[in-house]
Structure formats: C-alpha cells, structure tokens
C-alpha cells in the first residue's frame, strides 16, 4: 500500500504559489505581460514563438523569453536567433519549470526592455500542470501528430489553461487525426477555453491566436 504525505505535497504547492505570485507582481511592476506555453515535445511551442515575435514587433512590442528544457539549449538558440532577450532554464531531472526556476530566470532578463514575456515550459503534458509560474495566461499547444486522443489522455492540462492551440493541421489527413474530435474534447474539459487551429509553416491561424493572447 502506498503512503502519500499530503501535507508535504500541499507545502510544495503553497511555496510554489507564493513565489509565482511574487513573479507576477515583479513582472507587473515592470509592465510586462507574461504567457506560459505548455505542450508536448514537438507540439510547436518554439515555432509559435518564432511566428509571434515578428507580429509583436509590428505592433511595437518588445519580446523576451524563458526557454525551459531538461537539458540542452536547442530551443533557446532558436529564440535568440530572433533577436530577443532570452534565458535558457535547464531543469536537470525535473520534467517541468517551477516558480523558483522562473524567478531565477527573471533575474537574468532586462525587464525594462521587455513588454511581452513567453515562458516556454518543458515538453510534457502532465508535470507542468500543478506548478503556476506567475504568467497571466496559460496556452496549451497540441499537434495533430500526437493523435486525436491526446486531449482525452491529459485532461488536467486543458482544465487549467486559458487558450488551446491545435497545431500542424496540415498533417492531420496523413496521420488520421480528427481535428473536430480534438476540439470537442478540449471544450468538454474546458468550455471557456478559446481554441485555434494553426499551421506554423504557413502562418495559418497565428494572427487570430495573437489577438486572443493580447486580449
């Protein structure tokens, strides 16, 4: 029989939430709007940032980013190549960012030169769910290549997010994914969620997504 110490778990979440609130307060003090990007490896989180940055620049907004990954700096290098201020947050053995790691990352960013901050979480559909970071909105990105049952397999990720993105819509016919089913499942778990279908290769749906993010 497994023994779970619920008090220890509650303490961990309480500490994380206090730091997340402090992160949110600091970002607000500097006039920064922060958005947490969640999703599996390969869903298109970094590609979404790559698409959004030029559009944000057209609107006169300066972008910063925190790239969360277990190891390496592949996503970080792609983001830096966009010419934005960024920090590479490696988690080591942990499968998610937490508020303390984001707090540390924020210390390395030029906050007075950033209007929009993207926090790209580690590629995982489970672990990041319970750890608030201090972002204004959570955006969960899934792709057709993950299968049209991906939402039903990870309901908590969608219940706690503000915006849902179904990416790689162009590949759905080739992998047999039913996009309507994916969208129905998202609405079943979160009726209030705004949902967008995107193709990062062509930019389909990205303008509408940005409007929702900034709303």
């Amino acid at each position: 029989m497994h023994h779970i110490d619920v008090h220890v778990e509650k303490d961990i979440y309480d500490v994380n939430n206090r730091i997340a609130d402090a992160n949110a307060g600091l970002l607000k003090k500097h006039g920064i709007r922060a958005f947490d990007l969640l999703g599996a490896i390969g869903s298109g989180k970094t590609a979404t940032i790559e698409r959004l940055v030029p559009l944000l620049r057209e609107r006169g907004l300066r972008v910063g980013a925190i790239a969360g990954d277990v190891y390496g700096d592949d996503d970080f290098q792609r983001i830096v190549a966009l010419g934005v201020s960024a920090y590479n947050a490696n988690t080591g053995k942990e499968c998610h960012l937490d508020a303390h790691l984001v707090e540390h990352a924020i210390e390395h960013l030029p906050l007075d030169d950033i209007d929009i901050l993207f926090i790209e979480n580690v590629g995982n559909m489970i672990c990041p769910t319970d750890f608030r970071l201090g972002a204004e909105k959570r955006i969960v990105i899934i792709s057709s290549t993950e299968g049209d049952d991906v939402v039903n397999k990870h309901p908590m990720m969608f219940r706690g997010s503000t915006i849902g993105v179904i990416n790689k819509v162009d590949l759905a016919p080739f992998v047999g994914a039913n996009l309507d089913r994916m969208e129905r499942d998202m609405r079943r778990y979160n009726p209030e969620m705004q949902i967008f279908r995107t193709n990062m290769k062509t930019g389909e749906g990205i303008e509408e997504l940005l409007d929702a993010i900034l709303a």
Side-chain angles (χ1 to χ4, degrees):
M1 186 167 80
H2 296 288
H3 173 72
I4 300 175
D5 192 332
V6 295
H7 295 292
V8 172
E9 183 175 333
K10 182 178 183 299
D11 288 345
I12 291 172
Y13 293 145
D14 284 347
V15 170
N16 183 83
N17 287 338
R18 285 198 297 272
I19 299 173
D21 289 339
N23 289 345
L26 177 62
L27 294 170
K28 185 177 181 180
K29 178 182 177 181
H30 287 270
I32 298 172
R33 300 184 66 186
F35 305 99
D36 185 7
L37 271 59
L38 307 167
I41 295 172
S43 62
K45 298 185 296 299
T46 308
T48 299
I49 294 174
E50 289 174 324
R51 277 287 180 180
L52 290 173
V53 166
L55 298 179
L56 287 163
R57 284 198 175 120
E58 289 176 6
R59 302 188 187 197
L61 295 170
R62 302 164 298 174
V63 183
I66 296 170
D69 223 329
V70 173
Y71 182 79
D73 65 353
D74 298 84
D75 294 340
F76 170 74
Q77 292 298 340
R78 287 171 61 183
I79 293 170
V80 168
L82 300 171
V84 304
S85 300
Y87 180 80
N88 190 44
N90 284 146
T91 63
K93 295 181 180 180
E94 298 300 325
C95 55
H96 61 87
L97 289 174
D98 60 30
H100 177 66
L101 284 169
V102 171
E103 176 188 38
H104 178 67
I106 289 172
E107 294 173 353
H108 292 81
L109 293 173
L111 300 184
D112 291 327
D113 298 325
I114 295 173
D115 301 306
I116 303 295
L117 177 66
F118 291 116
I119 305 172
E120 182 180 344
N121 219 307
V122 174
N124 191 297
M125 291 294 287
I126 301 172
C127 299
T129 302
D130 295 322
F131 290 85
R132 292 175 49 235
L133 305 178
E136 176 181 323
K137 295 178 183 177
R138 281 189 144 185
I139 303 157
V140 56
I141 302 171
I142 57 175
S143 67
S144 64
T145 54
E146 295 170 66
D148 54 22
D149 58 356
V150 63
V151 179
N152 206 39
K153 289 181 175 180
H154 304 93
M156 296 308 296
M157 179 69 76
F158 299 88
R159 285 174 175 153
S161 296
T162 314
I163 296 172
V165 178
I166 303 173
N167 190 31
K168 303 183 183 179
V169 294
D170 55 315
L171 298 180
F174 302 101
V175 296
N178 185 328
L179 300 177
D180 291 335
R181 186 237 165 131
M182 298 172 82
E183 185 165 336
R184 283 197 305 271
D185 284 346
M186 292 169 95
R187 295 196 186 283
R188 180 156 57 94
Y189 291 116
N190 188 343
E192 304 302 319
M193 174 181 277
Q194 293 179 275
I195 301 172
F196 299 89
R197 299 184 184 189
T198 61
N199 177 349
M200 294 306 163
K201 287 186 177 180
T202 64
E204 176 186 346
I206 200 70
E207 289 271 9
E208 295 82 359
L209 172 62
L210 180 57
D211 288 340
I213 291 173
L214 297 179

